[in-house]
Amino acid sequence: MPATPSPHPRDPHRPPHPYADAPYTHSRAGAPFPASPAHPAYPWQPPAPPAPPPHRAPRHAPLGHHSDLRRLRRAYRRQRRTATLTALGYFVLFLTLSAFAPSFMTGTVTGVPAGLLLGVGQVPVTWLAVALYETTARRRLDPLAALIRRQAAVDARREAVR
């Protein structure tokens, strides 16, 4: 089948226009309008991320309740306050006595100044606060955190089965 002649004959002495097959034509001349090449405008940009899968409602209610997390936060907060106030309270007592009761701090107790005994006593009080912190964590917080961890593991297994 013979090729259909174009409405405008091509000059044999000129090379063809690189975008001669573009669908756009000049409005007056009917000649092909130079179109841009077929490549993305910003090739360095990463491709668009895939759409997230639709969210499905869980078949079972989660085992971990918000009340467990609230209890854990409350117990942790109480433990933190107790240990901090034990150590800082003793230190503030030492500073207050040093500032407002110098006669008491310079007084001797069995031949040693009371200020020195109170200052050296800061170390055992700090160790007591650390021991109190660890003991209450082991007794109250760790079992509650372990319970929440177990419930989260069961919830994760339920999700994996789906």
Side-chain angles (χ1 to χ4, degrees):
M1 196 172 201
T4 57
S6 66
H8 299 284
R10 188 175 73 79
D11 184 3
H13 302 291
R14 289 180 70 184
H17 191 275
Y19 305 116
D21 58 347
Y24 305 105
T25 56
H26 193 272
S27 60
R28 284 193 219 136
F33 186 81
S36 64
H39 61 74
Y42 302 104
W44 58 86
Q45 289 183 341
H55 181 69
R56 293 187 302 181
R59 287 188 296 194
H60 305 285
L63 293 176
H65 300 289
H66 295 292
S67 63
D68 293 337
L69 292 174
R70 274 195 299 270
R71 282 179 34 215
L72 181 63
R73 274 194 303 265
R74 194 177 311 124
Y76 178 65
R77 195 177 308 124
R78 183 178 28 222
Q79 175 200 24
R80 204 175 44 214
R81 284 180 187 156
T82 304
T84 303
L85 289 177
T86 302
L88 284 180
Y90 186 84
F91 186 67
V92 168
L93 174 71
F94 175 75
L95 289 179
T96 304
L97 288 174
S98 297
F100 297 111
S103 61
F104 173 75
M105 297 297 275
T106 56
T108 59
V109 177
T110 65
V112 180
L116 182 62
L117 287 176
L118 288 174
V120 170
Q122 180 69 38
V123 174
V125 168
T126 303
W127 282 108
L128 176 72
V130 169
L132 177 72
Y133 191 87
E134 288 179 359
T135 304
T136 57
R138 200 173 304 115
R139 191 180 312 143
R140 293 193 183 123
L141 297 177
D142 291 348
L144 189 55
L147 172 73
I148 293 172
R149 257 188 236 109
R150 281 192 306 272
Q151 289 174 346
V154 169
D155 286 343
R157 271 186 261 128
R158 281 184 178 174
E159 286 294 318
V161 169
R162 292 204 292 164

